Amino acid sequence: QVQLVESGGGLVQPGGSLRLSCAASGFTFSSSAMSWYRQAPGKERELVALIPSDDSSTYYADSVKGRFTISRDNAKNTVDLQMNSLKPEDTAVYYCNAVQRRRGNVRVSYWGQGTQVTVSS
């Protein structure tokens, strides 16, 4: 079955760094767009960063540009999110997402269970 397992979350002080990792299995990782979302209490889930299947470009939310870096390793079926200069407003549950495109332009989205990131002094 499809599995997306996030790890690396935790408690960090403002200005600190964390590296999140998502291990994927059960689908063709190399042809899927991968992304990280986050959801803070009382807020809607938002897209943080995205990396396409060919690793040719990336997308970042304005709020994290210059601080976060998304990367993928197709040999390991993993996607990482390096988070630097963390701010309290980065506190959220972070989710790994995969989008697999199928015939008929059908797109199937898979989600991990999430990992908590708390930025606090």
Side-chain angles (χ1 to χ4, degrees):
Q1 72 277 18
V2 171
Q3 286 189 311
L4 296 173
V5 182
E6 301 98 335
S7 62
L11 175 64
V12 65
Q13 294 185 357
S17 298
L18 283 174
R19 188 176 184 91
L20 306 183
S21 184
C22 172
S25 62
F27 66 99
T28 306
F29 178 88
S30 60
S31 62
S32 298
M34 301 298 299
S35 61
W36 287 93
Y37 285 72
R38 68 185 181 188
Q39 188 166 26
K43 303 291 185 180
E44 295 185 356
R45 189 171 299 187
E46 65 171 337
L47 176 63
V48 176
L50 181 147
I51 186 165
S53 59
D54 61 2
D55 199 14
S56 61
S57 63
T58 56
Y59 166 85
Y60 297 95
D62 288 342
S63 59
V64 307
K65 285 181 179 177
R67 300 189 297 120
F68 291 11
T69 303
I70 189 171
S71 61
R72 67 190 296 157
D73 187 335
N74 288 344
K76 296 181 179 179
N77 283 187
T78 59
V79 58
D80 290 358
L81 185 69
Q82 178 66 47
M83 305 185 295
N84 298 326
S85 302
L86 283 162
K87 305 174 180 179
E89 51 262 46
D90 295 319
T91 296
V93 177
Y94 284 71
Y95 298 91
C96 179
N97 172 259
V99 175
Q100 180 184 18
R101 288 183 288 182
R102 299 179 177 176
R103 66 184 67 183
N105 202 34
V106 174
R107 301 173 71 186
V108 179
S109 183
Y110 304 111
W111 295 91
Q113 293 299 305
T115 185
Q116 176 71 48
V117 172
T118 302
V119 184
S120 177
S121 60

